[in-house]
Amino acid sequence: RAAFPELVIKPKFSIKNGHWSNSFIYKPIIFTDKDYSFKKKLNAWGFTSSLNINLPDGKGKNLLNIKKRVVNVFGIIGNGTQGAVNDFGGLGYEAFPKDETSLESMLYYGGYVSYSFVMKKRWSSTYVYSYLHQEKPVLTENIFKRSHYFAGNAIYAINKYFTLGGEFLYGAKANYDNTKGNAYRIMGLMRLLF
C-alpha cells in the first residue's frame, strides 16, 4: 500500500510557439507479510517531460493549404509508479517479490512523438508513434518487456454541425518469456452537434 497519497509536482513553461511541461511523482510503498512480522518501504518515483511546438505555416501558396501544424514529444521514466502509466493498464507491476521478505520495484521508460495538422480548414489528422519498456524482475519472466504502437487518423468536418473520421492503430508487444504478439484496430467517428 502507499504510505500516503502520491506527491505530484507539475511545472509548465511557455516557450516560443509552444510550451514545455514536466511532472514528478513520488510515493513510498509500504509492505509486510500476512502475519505483520516485518514492515518495509520502497521509494517509488516517476518523471515525465512533454514539449509541444506549433510549427509556422510557412510563406507562399501551399497546394494543400496545411495550417495549425503541431509536434508533440513526450518522455517518461520511473521506478515503481507503473500504476500511473496508461499502457500498463493497472496490472499491478509496481513491485514484485525478490525473496521471502523483500519486494523490488522495476524501472520503466518510454515516450511518444506525434504530428498533427489541419488541411484546407476541413481535414485534420494526427500521427503518433509510441514506445514503452520495463525492467525484468528477479523471480518471473512472464511479464511485460516492451511495446510499440503507431496510430494515424483523418477527420473531415462536413460543416460546422457534422464531422466524420476514422483511425488505424497497430501495436506490438513482447514479454520476457519470449512470447509476443501484435494487433490492429480500426475505428470510425461520427459527430453531430445540435
Side-chain angles (χ1 to χ4, degrees):
R1 67 177 176 85
F4 57 80
E6 297 169 354
L7 174 66
V8 179
I9 300 170
K10 189 173 182 181
K12 182 176 180 180
F13 307 97
S14 294
I15 60 173
K16 185 179 179 181
N17 297 326
H19 62 267
W20 178 35
S21 298
N22 297 280
S23 65
F24 180 79
I25 182 172
Y26 169 77
K27 68 174 183 181
I29 300 172
I30 304 296
F31 65 97
T32 185
D33 64 358
K34 64 180 181 179
D35 299 320
Y36 299 97
S37 62
F38 65 87
K39 183 178 179 181
K40 294 187 178 183
K41 181 175 84 168
L42 288 174
N43 294 311
W45 59 273
F47 175 75
T48 67
S49 186
S50 175
L51 183 63
N52 185 288
I53 301 173
N54 299 302
L55 300 175
D57 293 334
K59 296 180 179 179
K61 188 66 177 173
N62 182 332
L63 282 178
L64 299 176
N65 197 14
I66 294 176
K67 303 284 185 184
K68 295 182 182 178
R69 300 181 301 152
V70 179
V71 172
N72 187 270
V73 180
F74 174 85
I76 186 169
I77 187 169
N79 194 313
T81 50
Q82 281 87 331
V85 181
N86 218 22
D87 285 3
F88 287 116
L91 296 176
Y93 291 147
E94 293 184 340
F96 265 75
K98 187 175 182 180
D99 54 46
E100 291 183 354
T101 61
S102 298
L103 295 181
E104 63 174 333
S105 57
M106 294 163 298
L107 181 74
Y108 65 90
Y109 56 87
Y112 71 81
V113 60
S114 71
Y115 173 65
S116 303
F117 62 90
V118 175
M119 183 172 61
K120 295 186 176 179
K121 296 183 179 179
R122 290 189 181 268
W123 283 100
S124 63
S125 287
T126 300
Y127 299 93
V128 180
Y129 168 75
S130 174
Y131 175 78
L132 185 63
H133 182 274
Q134 179 176 247
E135 183 180 52
K136 180 186 174 300
V138 170
L139 292 182
T140 183
E141 293 185 346
N142 186 21
I143 192 172
F144 176 96
K145 181 178 182 181
R146 67 173 170 261
S147 67
H148 304 263
Y149 81 75
F150 171 80
N153 64 37
I155 298 171
Y156 182 66
I158 295 172
N159 54 44
K160 65 181 180 178
Y161 303 108
F162 192 51
T163 303
L164 291 173
E167 179 175 85
F168 175 79
L169 183 146
Y170 172 80
K173 175 189 166 186
N175 293 333
Y176 277 100
D177 63 0
N178 292 323
T179 58
K180 54 187 170 182
N182 54 60
Y184 64 89
R185 180 177 71 196
I186 299 173
M187 297 186 299
L189 162 79
M190 181 174 67
R191 184 178 71 169
L192 176 63
L193 299 175
F194 56 90

